[in-house]
Amino acid sequence: MENDGFQRLDRKLVYKAHLFDLYEDTVQVPNGNVAKWDYIGHKGAAAVVPVLEDGRILMVNQFRNALDRMAIEVPAGGRESTDEPYIDCAKRELEEETGFKCEYEDMEFLLSLKTTVAFCNEQIEIYVVRNLKKSEQHLDEDEVIHIKAYEPSELRDLIFAGKIQDGKTIAAIMAYLNKYNV
Amino acid sequence: MENDGFQRLDRKLVYKAHLFDLYEDTVQVPNGNVAKWDYIGHKGAAAVVPVLEDGRILMVNQFRNALDRMAIEVPAGGRESTDEPYIDCAKRELEEETGFKCEYEDMEFLLSLKTTVAFCNEQIEIYVVRNLKKSEQHLDEDEVIHIKAYEPSELRDLIFAGKIQDGKTIAAIMAYLNKYNV
């Protein structure tokens, strides 16, 4: 049941947005109906769980226009192209957003997630990174990012209190707590 | 630092898709630049972690056009309108997708997440539900959904093996394992 009887007949670009392309797909569904579905093509992104020597986790806090408020998140950012390896994107975004850098051997793959399976192909690969070295933030000119380290238990409490709502961040932190039994 | 110096000057509808509306926002950023950012307005959704008497969790498996493959997920679905209480949406989607129903007193709020903070306001509220009673699936005419129960430890393994990638599902299952120490 690879496609379970669904067959895509057409994919039509309907709008080129800044971060993604929006398509209208034509899909034949198993009952014979032909449906029109939204599809967003996204370059993908990477995120990191940066663990300090004392076990605290470095988080970023930034204004998110889509939420109309600040959001506490794991450091993350989009790939420059669909050819960029996710690990390179993760390494770059760590340094750009937090001003700390890491070596490849200190990056451990945690998990891969799809943000929005109903209408978008965005994939985020998440790495746990350690042995951070001080470097410098290199923000995009329209970015303002604040960094703060939290105890893992604080992050858990912030999630269950609804103070951290970002999906990739909840997945990353909860998976980190589980995998490393923190 | 409620908005940290960011101010939205305009929000223009650029495309009405099937599941959401796409806007181009004009935002003044702290350095004085005026940026154009994507914004997707979504009605929101709800999901459930349905726990059977023996501790297994009922999951759905369906073809996802955006991924071009099947995906194992917690039962979930969109709100009918922005006025619909998330808990009502969760209760309805449980029954529609799995053919099991539950009472309000057997629904416990787990967490609330935002799927895509970079460009979409979609919020998903997730409930743990117990004391399921057999009812009937009521699928939309273009839906085909298979259900299967898994041990919590199997779901953990599927996530770390990359066989479950849906973001809301990873967040929900990992948070469930953590909260109930399963």
Side-chain angles (χ1 to χ4, degrees):
Chain A
M1 68 180 188
E2 192 179 348
N3 282 355
D4 212 21
F6 291 81
Q7 188 182 1
R8 189 163 62 245
L9 305 175
D10 193 28
R11 168 162 289 172
K12 184 175 60 141
L13 179 67
V14 293
Y15 189 80
K16 283 191 82 71
H18 297 275
L19 287 175
F20 53 80
D21 297 324
L22 174 59
Y23 301 83
E24 185 182 65
D25 282 0
T26 304
V27 179
Q28 184 173 319
V29 305
N31 68 11
N33 283 359
V34 173
K36 299 283 191 180
W37 288 346
D38 305 317
Y39 171 67
I40 287 177
H42 187 284
K43 288 179 191 161
V48 289
V49 180
V51 184
L52 302 179
E53 278 192 30
D54 63 8
R56 288 180 306 155
I57 295 171
L58 205 55
M59 304 289 285
V60 298
N61 189 13
Q62 65 189 305
F63 177 71
R64 285 299 199 174
N65 174 61
L67 309 186
D68 209 19
R69 64 166 169 78
M70 306 289 291
I72 300 169
E73 302 170 42
V74 289
R79 291 198 293 172
E80 289 179 345
S81 76
T82 55
D83 293 330
E84 185 182 29
Y86 286 96
I87 193 169
D88 293 353
C89 176
K91 192 168 186 292
R92 186 187 66 245
E93 292 291 339
L94 169 68
E95 183 167 3
E96 287 182 4
E97 294 202 338
T98 70
F100 285 86
K101 61 185 180 181
C102 69
E103 304 297 330
Y104 286 107
E105 64 256 34
D106 295 316
M107 305 181 73
E108 185 175 6
F109 178 73
L110 179 64
L111 62 81
S112 169
L113 66 79
K114 308 282 189 179
T115 54
T116 322
V117 296
F119 58 83
C120 179
N121 73 337
E122 183 180 6
Q123 174 159 322
I124 302 181
E125 302 222 334
I126 304 174
Y127 294 82
V128 175
V129 300
R130 301 176 196 269
N131 293 323
L132 305 179
K133 303 281 182 284
K134 193 80 191 89
S135 173
E136 281 180 19
Q137 262 189 341
H138 302 285
L139 298 176
D140 297 340
E141 64 171 347
D142 295 341
E143 277 185 323
V144 179
I145 290 182
H146 308 272
I147 65 171
K148 186 177 170 187
Y150 294 85
E151 297 291 340
S153 62
E154 282 181 276
L155 294 176
R156 176 196 187 278
D157 293 346
L158 287 168
I159 289 168
F160 285 123
K163 305 289 189 190
I164 290 177
Q165 290 192 309
D166 173 47
K168 69 176 176 299
T169 299
I170 296 175
I173 296 299
M174 286 293 168
Y176 173 79
L177 297 177
N178 184 289
K179 181 170 180 180
Y180 299 95
N181 199 22
V182 176
Chain B
M1 70 179 186
E2 192 179 346
N3 282 355
D4 213 19
F6 292 80
Q7 188 182 1
R8 189 163 61 244
L9 304 175
D10 193 28
R11 168 162 289 171
K12 184 175 59 143
L13 180 67
V14 292
Y15 190 80
K16 283 190 81 71
H18 297 274
L19 286 175
F20 53 80
D21 296 325
L22 174 59
Y23 300 83
E24 185 184 64
D25 282 0
T26 304
V27 179
Q28 186 173 316
V29 305
N31 67 11
N33 283 359
V34 172
K36 299 284 191 180
W37 287 347
D38 306 317
Y39 171 68
I40 287 177
H42 187 283
K43 288 179 191 161
V48 289
V49 179
V51 184
L52 301 179
E53 278 192 31
D54 63 9
R56 287 180 306 154
I57 295 171
L58 205 55
M59 304 289 285
V60 299
N61 189 12
Q62 65 190 304
F63 177 71
R64 285 299 198 174
N65 174 61
L67 309 186
D68 209 18
R69 62 165 170 79
M70 305 290 290
I72 300 170
E73 301 169 43
V74 288
R79 292 198 293 172
E80 289 178 346
S81 76
T82 55
D83 293 331
E84 185 181 30
Y86 286 96
I87 193 169
D88 292 354
C89 176
K91 192 168 185 293
R92 185 186 67 246
E93 291 291 339
L94 169 69
E95 183 165 4
E96 286 182 4
E97 294 203 339
T98 70
F100 285 86
K101 61 184 180 182
C102 68
E103 303 297 331
Y104 285 108
E105 64 256 34
D106 295 317
M107 305 180 73
E108 184 175 7
F109 178 73
L110 179 63
L111 63 82
S112 168
L113 67 79
K114 308 282 188 179
T115 55
T116 322
V117 295
F119 58 82
C120 179
N121 73 338
E122 183 179 4
Q123 174 160 321
I124 302 181
E125 301 222 336
I126 305 174
Y127 295 83
V128 174
V129 300
R130 301 175 197 271
N131 293 324
L132 305 178
K133 303 280 182 284
K134 193 80 192 89
S135 172
E136 281 181 19
Q137 261 188 341
H138 302 286
L139 298 176
D140 297 341
E141 66 171 345
D142 295 341
E143 277 185 323
V144 179
I145 290 181
H146 309 271
I147 66 171
K148 185 176 171 186
Y150 295 84
E151 297 292 341
S153 62
E154 281 181 278
L155 294 176
R156 175 195 188 280
D157 293 346
L158 287 168
I159 289 168
F160 285 124
K163 305 291 190 190
I164 290 178
Q165 290 193 309
D166 173 47
K168 69 176 177 299
T169 298
I170 296 174
I173 296 300
M174 285 294 168
Y176 173 79
L177 297 177
N178 184 289
K179 182 171 180 179
Y180 299 95
N181 200 21
V182 176

